[in-house]
Amino acid sequence: MTMNSRLLTGRQRGAALVIALTASSVVLLSAALLFGYLRSMLDDQQELELLAQARLSQESAADRLERLLAGTGVSEGPVEVEVGGVVTSLEQLSEVQSPPGLVRLGIAADGAAAPAFPGVSVAERSSDTLFVRVLPLAGMPSPPSTGSFRIPCGQGTFLLAGWRGQPAEGGPLFAVAVGDRLGCSVYGMEPPDRAISVGGVPFPLVPGTLASLDSVGGHACVLLASEGRGALVDLEEGSVTLVPSPPGSCPAVLAGGVWPGGDFVEDPALRHGEIVDVLRVDIDSDGREDMVWISDSSAAALFSSTGILFSDRLPGRSPGAWGVLPQTGGLGVRWDAPDGSSAWRRLAWGGFQDCLSFGPLLRNWSGRIVSGAGGLAGMLGGSLALLDPLTGSVTDIGGQVISWTDIDGGGDDALVAEEEGLSLSLNPAAGPDLTQVWSAVSTRDGRVVLSRRLEVAMRRGADGALRPEEMEWIEG
Amino acid sequence: MDRGMIPRRGYSLAETFMASGITLVVLAALCLATGTFLRGQRLVASRRTALALASDEMASWGAGPPPRPFGARNTVVRAAGGSYSVRTEAREEPGGVIVLEVSVSSPPGGLVDLERKFYQ
C-alpha cells in the first residue's frame, strides 16, 4: 500500500511536466503553422509579382515580333527578349492561310463608299437626309478629320465620288451628287465641315450613272456619266458642261482632259444602256491608263495613246464576266446567252475576237474578275472569292460585290454587301491572309514562369505585303 | 502513522519553476511568432496593393511606347490606408529600345518593380 502511494505521487509530478510540454508543443506547432502560412503568402505574392513581370516580358517580346514581321513579313528564327529578369522566347508553331479579311464600314447595305485617301468616305440615308462622313482605314495614316455632313436628298438617289489616289491640293476630299431623273445637285466636301454646292445640274441620275472626282484645268470637277453622255460640274466656278460620248462608252477624264471633246448633241435614236462597270487599266502596256466600259449589252475599250475605240456587241448576248486577265492575254469578256451558253472574247490589236476558255475561265464567275499575285478574285458562286489558278483552290471571302474601286491606292478593292452592312475587301487578288501561332515561354533562372500562345493575324496592305494587324494571347 | 507515509500533495518548487520556464519560453515564442505573422501579413497586403498600383501605372501608358521626351516622374498615391510612392521612368536604350520602368515602394518597406520594353 505504501509503495503504491509513493508511485502515484511520482506520476502526478511527472504529469505536470507532460502537460506543460504537451501544451508547449501545441503552441509551437501553431507557431510553426503560422510561419508556414506566412511563408506561403510571401511565396504567392512573389509568384504574382513574377507573373506580372512575365506578362510584361511576353508583351515586350510580342512588340519585338510585330516590328520584325512589319518589316519583312517573316521572322527568321525564334525571338528572345529579356525584361525585368524574365527571359521570353517566342517560337513559331504554325502558319495557316486565312481568307482576306473584310473591313466592316458600319453602314447599311444600301449605303455607299468611295475613296477619301487615306481614308474612306461613307454615305448612309436616313429618312430624307444623307449622312456622309470619312472613316480611317487600319494601317493607313489618319485622314483629315471631318464632321458628319448632312445633305437633304428627299426620295431621290445619290452618288458618292472620290479621287483616284491623292486628293488635289486644296480641293474637296470627296463629292456627292443627289437627285433624280429630272436633274441633280452636286456637293464638294472640304474638311472639316465646308460643303460647296452646285444646284440645278441638268443631268438625270438613273441606274448606271457613275460619278468621279477629277482635276480638269486645275479645277476640282465632278464628272457625272452614263452611256453616251456626261456632265462635267466645275465645283470652283459652278459651271456645268454637257459632254457626249460614242455608244457603249461614257465620258471620262483622262490625262489629256475630258474624253471625248466636242459639243453635246443629244441623239434621240440612241438607246441609253446601263454602264455596269468602268475599268481604268493599261491594256496595251504603254504606261498610260486606258479605259474599258462594260454595259448591259456591250463592251468597249479605248486606247488612250492612239484614241482608238474598240466596241463589241453580240446580239442576244450580254457580258457576264470580264477582266484584264493573264488567261485571256489582256482584256477578256465572257458573253452569256439566255440559253445558258457562253463564250469568251478577248481584245486583240485589231479589236475583239473569240478566244479559248480554259481552266479558271470555265468557273462560274460573274462581274469583274481581278488578277493579282494571289490569283483571281471576283464573284464566284454567289460571293466574293479568291481562286488560285495553279491549284484550283477557292478561298471564299464572303459578301456580294457592289463595285470595284481603289480605296487604298494599292489596286482593286471590292465594296461588298453583307447581311451586317457594307464592307471593304482590300486587294483581295493580292492573296490570302495568314494566321501564325507562336509559343511564348517565359523563364527566370531556368524555371518556367509563364507559358502561353500568341496568335498573329497577318493582313495584306496596299502594296500586297503581309503585315501583322491583330495579336491575341491564348492562355494555356 | 509512519512520517514517511505522509502523502506529498502538489508540485515541488523545482518542478514548478521548470514548468513555468517552459511555459514562459513558449509564450514568448508565440508572441514573437504572432508579431512576425502580423507584420508579414501587413507586408504581403501592402505589396499586393503596390503590385496593383504598379500594374495600373504600367497599363495607363497603353500599348504604345511612352511619348518623348523621356524622363522620370514621382507621385505619391494613397491606397488601402497607406501612402505609396510611385516612380515611373522611361528611357531609350541602344538599338531604339524604349524601356518603361515602374517602381512602387510600399509603406512597410520593400519595392515592387515592373519593366516593359518597346521596340521601334
Side-chain angles (χ1 to χ4, degrees), chain A residues 2 6 9 12-13 16 24 27 34 37-38 42 45 49 53 56 59-60 63-64 67 81-83, chain B residues 4-5 8 11 15 22 26 30 33 36-37 40-41 44 47-48 58 112 114-119:
Chain A
T2 309
R6 283 174 187 251
T9 311
Q12 279 177 338
R13 263 187 265 157
S24 305
V27 171
L34 272 182
Y37 181 51
L38 182 61
L42 284 168
Q45 178 58 28
E49 289 171 18
Q53 183 55 65
L56 290 171
E59 281 169 25
S60 304
D63 193 49
R64 179 159 168 69
R67 293 295 168 276
V81 298
E82 188 269 322
V83 183
Chain B
M5 292 296 286
R8 295 171 61 189
Y11 306 117
E15 195 182 19
I22 291 169
V26 167
L30 182 65
T36 307
F37 176 75
Q41 204 180 27
V44 168
R47 285 189 78 94
R48 196 155 290 180
M58 192 60 89
V112 173
L114 290 179
E115 190 180 307
R116 165 88 156 91
K117 285 183 178 172
F118 299 92
Y119 294 84

Side-chain angles (χ1 to χ4, degrees), chain A residues 17 40-41 67 75 115 153 164 217 247 251 260 268 271 274 311 329-330 342 348 368 370 385 423 428 439 448 452:
Chain A
L17 275 176
S40 84
M41 279 202 312
R67 293 295 168 276
S75 171
C153 66
R164 293 189 307 279
R271 186 194 73 86
E274 187 177 327
S311 183
S342 63
R368 189 194 294 193
V370 297
S423 299
S439 80
V448 175
R452 293 192 291 178

Side-chain angles (χ1 to χ4, degrees), chain A residues 142-198:
Chain A
S142 294
S145 93
T146 62
S148 177
F149 294 98
R150 295 168 178 226
I151 301 164
C153 66
Q155 296 304 309
T157 187
F158 66 91
L159 293 169
L160 195 56
W163 297 91
R164 293 189 307 279
Q166 202 84 22
E169 189 73 33
L173 192 56
F174 60 93
V176 182
V178 176
D180 52 27
R181 290 183 169 276
L182 301 174
C184 62
S185 298
V186 176
Y187 301 84
M189 307 305 189
E190 289 181 357
D193 52 11
R194 181 168 173 254
I196 318 156
S197 67
V198 179

Side-chain angles (χ1 to χ4, degrees), chain A residues 195-229:
Chain A
I196 318 156
S197 67
V198 179
V201 178
F203 194 83
L205 293 191
V206 293
T209 306
L210 308 162
S212 62
L213 191 52
D214 293 283
S215 180
V216 180
H219 289 188
C221 296
V222 173
L223 178 67
L224 301 168
S226 56
E227 187 183 1
R229 58 188 174 180

Side-chain angles (χ1 to χ4, degrees), chain A residues 248-422:
Chain A
S249 70
C250 58
V253 177
L254 301 176
V258 179
W259 178 90
D263 295 329
F264 181 79
V265 181
E266 181 81 60
D267 179 3
L270 179 65
R271 186 194 73 86
H272 291 292
E274 187 177 327
I275 297 286
V276 292
D277 200 6
V278 177
L279 289 81
R280 288 176 172 267
V281 282
D282 181 10
I283 307 172
D284 50 5
S285 305
D286 65 348
R288 296 178 66 176
E289 206 173 50
D290 305 308
M291 297 293 303
V292 176
W293 294 275
I294 306 290
S295 81
D296 51 2
S297 60
S298 67
L302 172 75
F303 290 112
S304 56
S305 53
T306 59
I308 297 173
L309 178 73
F310 291 107
S311 183
D312 202 18
R313 195 182 290 265
L314 298 184
R317 288 176 181 262
S318 58
W322 54 88
V324 178
L325 309 172
Q327 289 79 7
T328 51
L331 174 65
V333 180
R334 192 191 70 214
W335 293 85
D336 295 344
D339 63 1
S341 64
S342 63
W344 277 91
R345 283 167 66 77
R346 61 184 285 271
L347 179 63
W349 288 110
F352 285 92
Q353 61 183 40
D354 290 337
C355 73
L356 291 173
S357 56
F358 62 96
L361 301 183
L362 297 173
R363 301 271 184 162
N364 186 27
W365 297 102
S366 63
R368 189 194 294 193
I369 308 167
V370 297
S371 170
L376 305 179
M379 285 289 289
L380 191 58
S383 71
L384 178 61
L386 174 67
L387 171 76
D388 183 343
L390 297 177
T391 63
S393 66
V394 176
T395 306
D396 187 51
I397 300 170
Q400 291 202 319
V401 177
I402 295 176
S403 63
W404 289 91
T405 182
D406 183 7
I407 295 282
D408 57 4
D412 290 316
D413 308 314
L415 181 65
V416 299
E418 296 182 288
E419 276 183 20
E420 298 85 1
L422 280 188

Side-chain angles (χ1 to χ4, degrees), chain A residues 444-466:
Chain A
R444 183 171 215 171
D445 301 329
R447 183 173 73 89
V448 175
V449 181
L450 179 64
S451 176
R452 293 192 291 178
R453 278 181 300 149
L454 178 65
E455 202 173 272
V456 184
M458 306 276 288
R459 305 259 183 257
R460 289 189 190 276
D463 56 358
L466 282 164

Side-chain angles (χ1 to χ4, degrees), chain B residues 4-27:
Chain B
M5 292 296 286
I6 295 169
R8 295 171 61 189
R9 295 180 187 280
Y11 306 117
S12 68
L13 195 59
E15 195 182 19
T16 308
F17 274 145
M18 196 181 291
S20 301
I22 291 169
T23 308
L24 281 174
V25 167
V26 167
L27 280 176

